[in-house]
Amino acid sequence: MDTSSPSAFVNGALLRRFIGQKVRTVIQVTGSEIGSVVGKSTDDLQIVVRGSSPPSPLTTYLEVIGIAESDNAIRAETWTNFGNTFDTQNYNELCKLANGEFKHLFI
Amino acid sequence: MMEVSLTAGAIGKIMNGEVTTEADMIPVLQVTDLKQIMAQQDPTRERFRMVLSDGTYLHQGMLGTDLNNLVKEGTLQPGSIVRLTRFVGDVIKGRRIVIVPQLEVLKQISDIIGHPVPGGKHNDQRGADSGIKFNTTEQQGSGIRQVNNIEPGRSNAAISPQVGGTGSSVPASTTPSTRAYSNPSSGNGVTRQDYARDPPTSYPHQPQPPPPMYANRGPVARNEAPPKIIPVNALSPYSGRWTIKARVTNKAALKQYSNPRGEGKVFNFDLLDADGGEIRVTCFNAVADQFYDQIVVGNLYLISRGSLRPAQKNFNHLRNDYEIMLDNASTIKQCYEEDAAIPRHQFHFRTIGDIESMENNCIVDVIGIVSSISPTVTITRKNGTATPKRSLQLKDMSGRSVEVTMWGDFCNAEGQRLQSLCDSGVFPVLAVKAGRISEFNGKTVSTIGSSQLFIDPDFVEAEKLKNWFEREGKSVPCISLSREFSGSGKVDVRKTISQIKDEKLGTSEKPDWITVSATILYLKFDNFCYTACPIMNGDRPCSKKVTDNGDGTWRCEKCDKSVDECDYRYILQLQIQDHTDLTCVTAFQEAGEEIMGISAKDLYYVKNEHKDEEKFEDIIRKVAFTKYNFKLKVKEETFSDEQRVKATVVKVDKLNYSADTRTMLGAMDKLRTRDANSLPINPEGSDYNADVVNTGIGSSGTRDPSSVQRRDFGLHAHQSGQSGNHYSGGGATTSCNVCGNSGHVSAKCPGATKPQEQGQYMGGSYRGTTGSYGGGLPRQHVGSY
C-alpha cells in the first residue's frame, strides 16, 4: 500500500485547514458538469470538485481524493463511486475524530 | 310579604324545657318536614308529624288535627314559616315533642333557612353536638329576634360558665367583649348559652369566620356543629357513632363484580388523618353510586356512621386492622377549610438495602433515584392476556439498587414521564407506595393494583436523595438486588472474546448470552455435519444423531425408529477471532447454513457423493475471514473431569457497518464523558486482577458511570450479573494501557510517550495474536454498550 502521500479525511468545515494539501472526502452529488462535480459534504456544506475524469455514471455518493484548492473546492485526482447509500453521520464523526482527538492515529 | 325571621334559640329552649307553652314565648319557626303518620289512638284520623327548625336546631312536633287541612290545602308545607300561637312542649315517653294545636302561617313557601341539625330528643343525647355553645341575645318579651351568633366550638370554659344540663340559669352579665361578635346593639342583651355537654373532648377546633352580624335580620347561621371527631386509629367495631376527619390519599376505580351472591359494584378509598392514622373505606352498590363522584383525592372530608370490619390484608395494605364500610346512613361532608395538620400522603419508606432482607410479597414503600429506565414490553401471561410491563432501576443511599417493575397503566402514564425525564438527562426521584417485593432474578419491587407512584415528589426524602445523588450517588457503584433483566428478550450484550475468559463467562449456574463481533479464521472441514434424525417432534425435527444400520437405513435411539433417509445437519467447529482474542465455537444447523451459504446436505453431497474436492475447497475458503456478529451461548461444561467453557453459536448476523459504527461512536462518547467525571481510582477494587476487569461501559455493571452513559444501558449495566458476580468495588482499574501494568494510569505511565486523552482503558484485555498497533495505544473495543 502506497503511503507516500497520505490524505486527510475532511468534511466541509475541515477542508480549509488543509488548503494546498492532499485531502479526501465523500460528498453527496448534487450536480455535475463537464469537468466539475458539485456536491454536499457530510456536514452539509457545498463542495466543488474539479478535475478530469469523474466516473460516469455517478452514484449518489462519491469519494474524491485530491488537493484542496480553497475552503470549498478540491482538485481531484481520484474519484470513486461510493454507491447510493452511505452513512454520512458516521463519516462526519470520523472526520472530526481523525483530525481532532485521534489525530495521532492518522497522518 | 314581610321579611320573617326565625326565633333564634327557640328550639333550644323548648328542648331544655325552658319554654313549654306559648305563655313563655311565641316562636317563629320553620317547618322543615311534614309527614303523615297513623294516629295510634284513632287510625282513621290522619296526623301530621313535622320537624320544626329555628335555623339551628330541629325538633319533632305534632300538628294538631284541626290544622290538618292546612297541610292538605298546601298552605302549610315543608319550608313554611309559622308562628306557634299555641303549643305545648311535652315529654311523651321520655321524648319531648312539641304539639301544636294552633299556628299561624307567616310564609308559605321558603327555602330552608340555615343548616339546622337534629336537636335530639333528649338533652343527653346530643352526642354529635357536644360542645356547641350558643350565644344568643334576645330581648325577652319582645319576641323580636336578634342576632343569632353561633360560637364555633371553642372550649371557652374560662370565658363563660358552662351550664351543664339545663341552661336555665342565665348568667346575668352581658359579656359582649368575650365574644367578639356579640351584638352590641342590644347592650343589655342577655348572654345565654345553651348548655354545653361535657366539656368538649378532643376534637380539632375548626376556626370559623365569625358570622356576620345583622340587625333585624334572620340568622344565617351556619351550624357546623363540630361533631366529636376521633382519630382514625381509634376506630373499632365497638366505636359507636363516630366521626373522622381525614384526607383522601387514594381512590380506586368503580368496579363491577359478580359473585355467587349476585352482581354489584364497589369502590374504595383510603383516608389519612392528622395523627397519621390510615384506613380504607369501601362502598357497595347504591352507596358507591352515592359517594363515588363526591370523593376527590386530596380533599378533606368528615365522615360519620359507617361500620367497621376487619381489614382484608390481601388487598388492603394500610396499617390498620379495620376497614370502614359505608351504608346509607353514613354521611360524608367535605371540609373546605384546609387543615395543614393532615398530610397528603403518608409513607413508611424503607431503604433498598432493607428490601434485600424482606420477605417476598411484602408490601413496602420505597423512594429512590431512577438511574435508568427501559421501554415498555408486552408480556403474555399464561392465560393469554397481554400486559404491558416496564422496568427501571432505583437507587438510594443504602448503596443498593433494585429493579422496579411497573405493570399496566403505570407503564404508559408514569413510565412514559419517567422515560422522558431520563432521556433529557435528569435523574428523577421516584416514590413508590405499596409496591410488592418479589423474588425473580433477585429481588424486585412490582406495582400492584393499589400502588401509587410519585415522580419528583415534594418530600424531605426526595430532597435528601437528590443531594446525595449529586454529591456521590452518581458515581458510586450500587450493588443491584435484581440480578438480571427479566425481560422478554435477550438484550444484545456486546463483549470481546477476551472477556469470555477474563470475566469467567459461563461459569455461573446459568449460561451467558453474549454477542461478539469476530472473524472466522478457520473452519474444520472434517465432520462438518452429522447424520440427523428427521422425525418431527412437534414442530421441530428430532435432530438426534442416527446410527447407520448398515442396510441404508438409519436408527434413532431417541425416537426408537429407523428411517430410510437421514437429515444432514451442520456441526461446525469454527475458530473466530476479534481484536482481543480468539476462541473456538460450535455452530449448528441454522447458523451453519448462514455461514456456509449452502445447506449441510448439499455440502455433504458435494464432498462425499460428487467428490468434488475443488468445489468443496472453494466453498470452505470463501468462509474464512468473513466477519459476523456472533450471538454466543457460553457455558461451562464438564468433560470427563475437566471443566471447559464452551461457546455455541446461537445466531449469526451479518455486520451492519453503519449501525456498528454508530454504536462505536456512542461508546466512545461515553468513554469520554465518563473520564471527564473520572472516579477516584481504587487499585484494589475487585476480586479480579486489575488488568482483567473490563471497565468498559457498563460491563462492570455495578458501576454507575456518569449520567449520559448510564442511561443507555438500562439493563445492560446489570448484565454483569450474568456472569454471576456483583462487582462491589469502585472497579476502576488502574491498569495502564500503555505498558499493561497495573497501578497507574496511562497518563502517568513511565513508559508513555504521548499524552493520554482517553483516560482509562482495560489494559490487559489486549491479547492474542492480533498484531501490534503502532503508537502503543491499543484501540479498545469498548466493552459492552
Side-chain angles (χ1 to χ4, degrees):
Chain A
M1 184 172 157
D2 177 14
T3 55
S4 55
S5 60
S7 48
F9 283 90
V10 298
N11 57 16
L14 292 164
L15 186 56
R16 69 197 61 201
R17 292 214 269 160
F18 296 90
I19 297 185
Q21 299 180 50
K22 194 154 180 196
V23 296
R24 60 167 34 173
T25 187
V26 172
I27 56 170
Q28 184 180 356
V29 177
T30 55
S32 73
E33 292 137 26
I34 312 281
S36 75
V37 173
V38 179
K40 198 169 62 158
S41 70
T42 54
D43 55 351
D44 289 334
L45 295 175
Q46 194 180 64
I47 307 245
V48 178
V49 186
R50 275 181 267 278
S52 49
S53 64
S56 75
L58 282 172
T59 60
T60 311
Y61 291 94
L62 174 69
E63 189 202 39
V64 295
I65 307 175
I67 307 289
E69 290 190 325
S70 71
D71 61 357
N72 66 348
I74 302 177
R75 193 175 64 241
E77 291 154 19
T78 315
W79 315 69
T80 317
N81 269 336
F82 258 32
N84 294 322
T85 55
F86 187 72
D87 193 329
T88 52
Q89 195 195 348
N90 284 343
Y91 190 84
N92 207 43
E93 288 301 312
L94 166 66
C95 293
K96 291 198 278 187
L97 293 168
N99 289 297
E101 204 176 337
F102 297 98
K103 202 166 169 174
H104 49 274
L105 297 179
F106 290 80
I107 302 174
Chain B
M1 179 64 90
M2 67 167 184
E3 264 312 314
V4 285
S5 40
L6 309 179
T7 311
I11 296 286
K13 299 202 181 78
I14 292 175
M15 286 197 285
N16 60 31
E18 209 182 316
V19 165
T20 47
T21 66
E22 71 279 5
D24 300 325
M25 179 207 291
I26 299 183
V28 173
L29 299 173
Q30 184 174 31
V31 177
T32 55
D33 198 12
L34 270 175
K35 227 183 275 204
Q36 185 175 351
I37 59 167
M38 285 322 217
Q40 282 178 346
Q41 303 87 337
D42 192 353
T44 56
R45 306 271 304 276
E46 63 240 298
R47 293 221 60 175
F48 287 92
R49 202 177 65 176
M50 55 188 178
V51 180
L52 296 164
S53 153
D54 66 355
T56 312
Y57 285 116
L58 304 172
H59 203 355
Q60 295 285 345
M62 295 292 292
L63 191 65
T65 48
D66 296 323
L67 305 171
N68 283 359
N69 54 319
L70 285 180
V71 180
K72 297 217 195 109
E73 286 161 10
T75 317
L76 182 63
Q77 49 178 277
S80 298
I81 300 188
V82 300
R83 183 187 280 134
L84 303 187
T85 43
R86 265 210 300 137
F87 69 96
V88 168
D90 220 355
V91 178
I92 298 177
K93 291 188 187 142
R95 292 159 32 136
R96 195 177 284 280
I97 308 236
V98 178
I99 303 172
V100 186
Q102 190 187 68
L103 56 72
E104 189 186 333
V105 178
L106 299 176
K107 200 168 174 197
Q108 274 184 24
I109 301 172
S110 171
D111 294 336
I112 304 284
I113 297 176
H115 292 82
V117 291
K121 317 289 184 292
H122 188 80
N123 281 351
D124 295 328
Q125 268 175 12
R126 290 187 35 184
D129 311 326
S130 65
I132 301 299
K133 280 179 230 5
F134 248 88
N135 182 16
T136 67
T137 40
E138 62 170 32
Q139 288 176 342
Q140 283 163 336
S142 71
I144 303 298
R145 52 269 63 271
Q146 307 269 303
V147 178
N148 183 9
N149 297 323
I150 303 299
E151 174 104 35
R154 280 209 197 111
S155 49
N156 294 326
I159 299 179
S160 51
Q162 295 212 355
V163 185
T166 68
S168 46
S169 60
V170 176
S173 61
T174 63
T175 50
S177 54
T178 62
R179 318 291 158 119
Y181 29 87
S182 300
N183 184 359
S185 66
S186 60
N188 52 344
V190 175
T191 308
R192 291 229 37 191
Q193 234 174 212
D194 210 2
Y195 59 94
R197 241 50 309 4
D198 341 313
T201 47
S202 59
Y203 62 92
H205 300 313
Q206 295 172 307
Q208 289 184 357
M213 305 199 292
Y214 304 102
N216 295 333
R217 291 252 247 121
V220 243
R222 171 201 275 212
N223 179 15
E224 223 52 290
K228 182 172 171 201
I229 294 180
I230 67 174
V232 160
N233 279 332
L235 285 171
S236 82
Y238 314 105
S239 290
R241 277 168 66 175
W242 47 261
T243 303
I244 52 175
K245 180 181 178 194
R247 200 190 296 273
V248 177
T249 56
N250 194 7
K251 174 182 170 186
L254 189 63
K255 284 187 268 259
Q256 313 271 2
Y257 66 85
S258 78
N259 61 23
R261 277 179 292 174
E263 289 196 341
K265 50 180 130 173
V266 63
F267 91 101
N268 59 61
F269 57 95
D270 298 339
L271 294 173
L272 170 64
D273 76 350
D275 299 317
E278 297 192 82
I279 195 165
R280 174 162 292 181
V281 182
T282 311
C283 306
F284 287 92
N285 303 320
V287 184
D289 283 332
Q290 185 184 356
F291 291 130
Y292 185 69
D293 295 319
Q294 203 180 346
I295 296 290
V296 173
V297 175
N299 282 352
L300 284 169
Y301 296 96
L302 277 167
I303 300 184
S304 353
R305 291 169 101 170
S307 53
L308 272 291
R309 63 175 189 179
Q312 297 173 293
K313 290 296 182 186
N314 287 341
F315 304 105
N316 181 353
H317 306 292
L318 298 175
R319 293 181 183 205
N320 201 315
D321 293 331
Y322 301 107
E323 49 188 41
I324 297 176
M325 225 170 56
L326 297 180
D327 48 47
N328 354 41
S330 313
T331 60
I332 298 187
K333 188 146 63 177
Q334 185 168 357
C335 298
Y336 293 100
E337 300 108 24
E338 242 318 299
D339 190 344
I342 304 184
R344 292 210 165 253
H345 291 283
Q346 178 161 273
F347 295 88
H348 303 278
F349 286 124
R350 307 294 298 267
T351 63
I352 297 180
D354 287 344
I355 292 180
E356 198 169 8
S357 48
M358 285 172 75
E359 300 255 317
N360 280 350
N361 294 322
C362 262
I363 302 296
V364 72
D365 299 338
V366 69
I367 187 170
I369 299 272
V370 177
S371 49
S372 64
I373 181 169
S374 348
T376 314
V377 292
T378 312
I379 302 279
T380 320
R381 294 193 202 269
K382 287 202 180 93
N383 60 7
T385 55
T387 336
K389 174 190 153 183
R390 195 163 200 163
S391 38
L392 56 88
Q393 291 291 332
L394 205 65
K395 286 174 69 160
D396 75 355
M397 296 185 267
S398 64
R400 299 280 196 285
S401 73
V402 71
E403 182 179 306
V404 174
T405 311
M406 294 179 275
W407 297 90
D409 290 332
F410 290 118
C411 296
N412 285 334
E414 285 83 347
Q416 195 47 49
R417 197 168 150 221
L418 285 168
Q419 180 89 58
S420 325
L421 283 168
C422 288
D423 286 342
S424 63
V426 178
F427 289 93
V429 178
L430 179 69
V432 180
K433 181 158 171 79
R436 178 188 288 138
I437 299 183
S438 39
E439 180 106 37
F440 180 55
N441 294 326
K443 292 262 195 251
T444 60
V445 174
S446 297
T447 59
I448 54 177
S450 55
S451 300
Q452 285 177 286
L453 297 179
F454 301 91
I455 303 178
D456 278 333
D458 201 6
F459 306 146
V460 167
E461 291 89 347
E463 270 312 302
K464 281 199 268 179
L465 268 168
K466 270 213 146 34
N467 291 336
W468 162 78
F469 194 69
E470 288 302 309
R471 274 181 293 112
E472 12 165 326
K474 239 188 255 197
S475 31
V476 160
C478 265
I479 301 181
S480 173
L481 302 183
S482 320
R483 233 178 314 126
E484 284 156 55
F485 50 69
S486 46
S488 52
K490 295 176 196 23
V491 187
D492 197 23
V493 181
R494 285 294 182 102
K495 296 267 177 200
T496 62
I497 293 182
S498 58
Q499 283 176 287
I500 298 178
K501 284 206 201 77
D502 295 346
E503 293 175 10
K504 294 204 167 69
L505 296 177
T507 52
S508 61
E509 320 161 348
K510 287 201 191 153
D512 291 314
W513 303 83
I514 62 171
T515 307
V516 298
S517 176
T519 314
I520 298 178
L521 278 191
Y522 178 72
L523 164 64
K524 192 149 158 270
F525 47 81
D526 296 332
N527 297 328
F528 59 85
C529 67
Y530 68 98
T531 48
C533 171
I535 298 174
M536 295 301 275
N537 193 359
D539 57 345
R540 287 159 48 158
C542 167
S543 301
K544 194 123 173 68
K545 185 164 179 188
V546 291
T547 46
D548 191 352
N549 287 336
D551 59 355
T553 61
W554 307 85
R555 175 159 178 81
C556 172
E557 293 302 331
K558 185 169 166 196
C559 302
D560 202 25
K561 285 204 186 100
S562 283
V563 285
D564 294 329
E565 280 260 357
C566 63
D567 256 355
Y568 292 93
R569 291 180 70 84
Y570 275 119
I571 176 163
L572 295 175
Q573 305 278 12
L574 302 166
Q575 196 179 47
I576 61 172
Q577 185 178 47
D578 70 0
H579 64 279
T580 60
D581 202 353
L582 57 78
T583 186
C584 287
V585 301
T586 315
F588 291 100
Q589 179 72 342
E590 294 77 21
E593 284 195 352
E594 177 80 27
I595 294 171
M596 301 302 296
I598 180 175
S599 79
K601 189 168 189 161
D602 289 342
L603 192 56
Y604 180 81
Y605 275 31
V606 164
K607 177 166 191 208
N608 298 41
E609 302 290 322
H610 307 303
K611 300 247 193 304
D612 191 346
E613 286 294 334
E614 203 178 294
K615 185 165 178 200
F616 184 76
E617 269 166 37
D618 213 26
I619 297 173
I620 301 280
R621 204 176 308 126
K622 279 215 186 69
V623 169
F625 300 106
T626 48
K627 191 168 178 187
Y628 296 96
N629 282 335
F630 295 92
K631 193 165 201 163
L632 300 176
K633 173 182 157 191
V634 184
K635 186 81 186 72
E636 193 176 46
E637 281 164 29
T638 319
F639 285 101
S640 50
D641 300 336
E642 203 182 276
Q643 296 274 68
R644 261 160 143 241
V645 175
K646 286 204 70 187
T648 326
V649 179
V650 174
K651 198 163 183 295
V652 157
D653 288 313
K654 286 215 177 46
L655 291 180
N656 180 342
Y657 293 100
S658 184
D660 278 358
T661 312
R662 277 182 208 254
T663 325
M664 188 94 59
L665 282 169
M668 288 166 69
D669 269 338
K670 272 129 203 142
L671 196 60
R672 240 182 261 121
T673 40
R674 177 178 60 113
D675 295 327
N677 320 336
S678 55
L679 307 173
I681 292 165
N682 182 7
E684 210 41 67
S686 58
D687 308 333
Y688 296 84
N689 300 332
D691 65 339
V692 150
V693 173
N694 180 9
T695 58
I697 322 310
S699 62
S700 61
T702 55
R703 200 127 111 187
D704 204 357
S706 70
S707 53
V708 175
Q709 45 184 328
R710 191 66 180 83
R711 177 110 44 257
D712 292 0
F713 304 142
L715 303 164
H716 283 324
H718 297 278
Q719 271 317 302
S720 67
Q722 279 193 334
S723 58
N725 302 292
H726 294 303
Y727 291 61
S728 51
T733 74
T734 55
S735 52
C736 171
N737 65 334
V738 171
C739 60
N741 293 327
S742 57
H744 60 263
V745 179
S746 47
K748 299 190 172 59
C749 176
T753 49
K754 296 213 170 101
Q756 298 298 323
E757 291 163 318
Q758 334 297 16
Q760 296 154 16
Y761 286 79
M762 33 182 199
S765 60
Y766 163 53
R767 268 199 218 147
T769 58
T770 45
S772 55
Y773 296 76
L777 293 178
R779 241 161 274 168
Q780 303 293 341
H781 177 104
V782 186
S784 52
Y785 38 76

